[in-house]
């Protein structure tokens, strides 16, 4: 089989890259090792209730904003029904230490009003923080589309500058407010003491500018891409595990899967950069590169209860409000397993669907998790899990449900778990090493991987190479195609679509 | 504290092992890019390897970028090591 470009992985970065290349007239083949394409954007159903895995909401879809422009350019935008969060939508943040509740609205102005109401002594700090985020976002081309991409990307990977924690400590004294302004870290997985302001602003700014759901959830995004790709003649081969990258001379020649060889002069790898090393013969990369990729620090994982409730109306305003119970201070991501009260979050993306009825009582109960919690149950990817693992999983879920009931009302204690995701699940279903939800940690303590590799024709993409999350991964797909086809001309065309 | 001579030896050893270079080619006046054949992609890997070996941060991008020869690299690493000792 022949193509010009093979894209390995059909998550949002692979789908984006493939659609852009097809638009440029390239013959593209996507390889996906799972049965269904879509990566973390996929939905699954239990008892007829749809559950989103990785897509809960996103910024960047307003008029003139980046995802809207990029997806318009690709041609998927008209296939999507975008649902802006209503004004009253917010992240309802409860600080467990003080019991204080803050509604973090998805708007700079409303957020500022709320924060000044709850923290009247910190008016100046609040203003200065929000202003700083706005100021930084204005230097990032994804949020100021008139800027060129190249200088920004060139600078992005050097871990330098001030951390989010340093900024917050310099402006604000109240530790509850530190926690509140740190909560966007849950959307990219880097602790406040390790993240620089550019990475933080890349998530916080779109969050403060307005967020959106998609009718039909992440699956609707996958389906829109698949329809566009089918029209463009892109082949998607599922159930195809890539065994190796083929090399001729000192150049990529294609890939070999369990079933066939596909010849192509470019290969884009969207999986975790560490697992790329398994596909390329040892002598191709230098030891320094292999060691760096092998030692990358990853984000932590999550524990998710996908549950149902008999009487969804009793859940109140859960549709457009995400409830969080968090620790005070800057270490809000720390998972202290001995601590009796855990940071926990609940939301219900499926309830936002236009055809959502009483039957769609699906809720997601989420907490941080780490590999250490499940390491003892790991018997390899294909092994059947042990009874001890199932018992631990069920007990952990029960504890979270009990806690949710205590925190947000009795109705929540009646959640019935229909599926449970642990670090093991995310490793095996999504190919994330140790279940690292957001892949490579974009930390000030390390250099994130770039798009280019030493092997001509072999390119990296995915959230590890640019930014985490759906926006980060989709933009990563664009940047990788830009590196192949010419960055600024592509960027110029994309931004014409705003 | 390690001496400049030890730094010299350790840097040479890291470059030889991590970039699979012939030890004889690692002369102080050898240029990283022309003589040793490294490129801009290798530069980040080199910084990461040296940071790990010496337990320090090479965050001054200008200083890293101005490194042309192995001798420049030894100087930079020694300077950073000494600064670290002063701080401690």
């Amino acid at each position: 089989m022949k193509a010009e470009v093979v894209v390995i992985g059909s998550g949002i970065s692979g789908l984006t890259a493939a659609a852009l290349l097809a638009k440029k007239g390239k013959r593209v083949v996507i390889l996906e090792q799972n049965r269904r394409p879509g990566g973390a954007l996929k939905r699954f159903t239990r008892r007829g209730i749809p559950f989103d895995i990785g897509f809960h909401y996103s910024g960047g879809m307003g008029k003139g904003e980046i995802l809207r422009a990029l997806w318009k350019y690709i041609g998927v935008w008209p296939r999507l029904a975008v649902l802006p969060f209503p004004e009253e939508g917010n992240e309802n943040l409860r600080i467990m230490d003080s019991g204080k509740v803050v509604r973090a609205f998805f708007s700079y102005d409303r957020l500022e009003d709320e924060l000044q109401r709850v923290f009247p002594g910190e008016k100046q700090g609040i203003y200065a923080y929000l202003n700083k985020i706005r100021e930084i976002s204005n230097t990032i081309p994804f949020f100021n589309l008139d800027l060129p991409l190249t200088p920004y990307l060139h600078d992005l990977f050097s871990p330098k500058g001030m951390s989010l924690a340093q900024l917050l400590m310099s402006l604000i004294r109240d530790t509850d407010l530190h926690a509140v302004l740190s909560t966007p870290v849950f959307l990219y997985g880097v602790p406040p003491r390790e993240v620089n302001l550019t990475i933080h602003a890349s998530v916080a700014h779109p969050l403060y500018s307005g967020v959106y759901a998609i009718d039909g959830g992440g699956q609707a995004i996958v389906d829109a891409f698949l329809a566009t790709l089918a029209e463009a003649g892109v082949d998607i081969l599922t159930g195809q595990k890539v065994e190796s990258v083929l090399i001729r001379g000192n150049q990529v020649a294609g890939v070999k899967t369990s079933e066939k060889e596909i010849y192509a002069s470019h290969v884009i790898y969207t999986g975790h950069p560490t697992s790329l090393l398994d596909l390329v013969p040892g002598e191709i990369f230098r030891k320094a590169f292999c060691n760096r990729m092998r030692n990358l620090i990853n984000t932590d994982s999550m524990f998710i209860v996908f549950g149902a409730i008999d009487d969804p109306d009793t859940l109140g305003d859960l549709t457009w409000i995400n409830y969080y119970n968090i620790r005070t201070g800057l270490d809000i991501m720390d998972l202290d397993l001995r601590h009796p009260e855990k940071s926990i979050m609940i939301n219900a993306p499926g309830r936002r669907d236009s055809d959502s009825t009483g039957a769609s009582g699906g809720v997601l109960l989420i907490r941080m998790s780490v590999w250490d919690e499940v390491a003892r149950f790991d018997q390899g990817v294909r092994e059947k899990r042990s009874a001890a693992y199932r018992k631990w999983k069920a007990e952990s879920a029960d504890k979270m449900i009990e806690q949710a009931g205590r925190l947000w009302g009795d109705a929540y204690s009646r959640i019935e778990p229909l599926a449970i995701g642990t670090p093991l699940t995310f490793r095996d279903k999504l190919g994330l090493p140790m279940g690292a939800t957001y892949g490579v940690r974009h930390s000030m303590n390390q250099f994130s991987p770039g798009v280019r590799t030493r092997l001509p024709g072999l390119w990296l993409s995915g959230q590890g190479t640019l930014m985490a999350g759906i926006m980060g991964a989709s933009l990563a797909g664009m940047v990788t195609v830009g590196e192949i086809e010419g960055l600024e001309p592509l960027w110029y065309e994309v931004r014409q679509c705003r | 504290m390690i001496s400049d001579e030890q730094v010299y030896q350790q840097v040479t050893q890291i470059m030889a092992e991590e970039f699979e270079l012939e030890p004889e080619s690692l002369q102080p006046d050898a240029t990283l890019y022309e003589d040793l054949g490294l490129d801009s992609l290798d530069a980040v890997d080199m910084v990461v390897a040296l940071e790990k070996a010496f337990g320090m941060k090479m965050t001054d991008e200008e200083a890293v970028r101005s490194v042309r020869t192995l001798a420049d690299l030894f100087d930079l690493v020694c300077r950073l090591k000494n600064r670290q000792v002063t701080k401690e």
Side-chain angles (χ1 to χ4, degrees), chain A residues 354-389:
Chain A
S354 58
D355 65 352
S356 163
T357 59
S360 329
V363 297
L364 271 63
L365 210 49
I366 307 173
R367 70 163 169 86
M368 301 292 299
S369 180
V370 289
W371 182 252
D372 280 355
E373 277 196 275
V374 295
R376 67 203 143 113
F377 304 120
D378 182 22
Q379 295 166 318
V381 177
R382 284 187 179 80
E383 296 298 319
K384 219 172 161 6
R385 306 265 189 252
S386 64
Y389 170 68

Side-chain angles (χ1 to χ4, degrees), chain A residues 269-277 293 296-298 431-433 436 438-441 460-461:
Chain A
Y269 184 72
T270 70
H272 191 283
T274 304
S275 23
L276 173 72
L277 301 178
M293 291 302 118
L296 285 168
I297 306 161
N298 292 318
L432 301 164
Y438 295 110
V440 174
R441 196 187 282 210
L460 290 175
S461 193

Side-chain angles (χ1 to χ4, degrees), chain A residues 179-391:
Chain A
V180 165
L181 296 177
S182 293
T183 47
V185 301
F186 289 115
L187 305 177
Y188 58 79
V190 191
R193 294 182 201 278
E194 275 182 46
V195 67
N196 77 15
L197 296 178
T198 306
I199 299 285
H200 179 72
S202 301
V203 174
H205 172 74
L207 192 65
Y208 303 156
S209 305
V211 297
Y212 305 79
I214 302 281
D215 199 359
Q219 190 63 47
I221 303 173
V222 176
D223 294 343
F225 268 93
L226 295 182
T228 300
L229 291 168
E231 279 175 11
V234 174
D235 282 320
I236 304 184
L237 309 181
T238 56
Q240 296 276 328
K241 187 157 173 49
V242 174
E243 287 177 348
S244 61
V245 172
L246 301 172
I247 294 158
R248 198 175 303 124
N250 182 32
Q251 162 85 36
V252 158
V255 300
K256 182 177 176 301
T257 76
S258 39
E259 287 173 24
K260 60 183 93 181
E261 294 191 344
I262 303 164
Y263 303 103
S265 46
H266 293 279
V267 170
I268 298 176
Y269 184 72
T270 70
H272 191 283
T274 304
S275 23
L276 173 72
L277 301 178
D278 302 333
L279 307 182
V280 180
E283 68 279 7
I284 295 293
F285 296 130
R286 287 175 151 148
K287 232 187 222 161
F289 175 80
C290 297
N291 286 339
R292 187 180 142 218
M293 291 302 118
R294 220 167 268 135
N295 294 322
L296 285 168
I297 306 161
N298 292 318
T299 58
D300 285 336
S301 192
M302 290 182 186
F303 187 106
I304 307 184
V305 179
F306 301 90
I309 188 146
D310 284 344
D311 186 3
D313 296 335
T314 57
L315 293 180
D317 43 12
L318 190 62
T319 309
W320 303 102
I321 298 178
N322 308 315
Y323 290 85
Y324 285 77
N325 179 56
I326 54 173
R327 221 177 290 284
T328 192
L330 290 162
D331 299 310
I332 58 170
M333 288 198 85
D334 287 15
L335 179 81
D336 185 351
L337 293 171
R338 290 156 309 178
H339 201 287
E341 187 161 3
K342 298 214 168 37
S343 301
I344 186 174
M345 186 257 192
I346 188 163
N347 75 353
R351 281 164 70 100
R352 301 175 198 139
D353 284 5
S354 58
D355 65 352
S356 163
T357 59
S360 329
V363 297
L364 271 63
L365 210 49
I366 307 173
R367 70 163 169 86
M368 301 292 299
S369 180
V370 289
W371 182 252
D372 280 355
E373 277 196 275
V374 295
R376 67 203 143 113
F377 304 120
D378 182 22
Q379 295 166 318
V381 177
R382 284 187 179 80
E383 296 298 319
K384 219 172 161 6
R385 306 265 189 252
S386 64
Y389 170 68
R390 288 199 301 274
K391 181 164 176 276

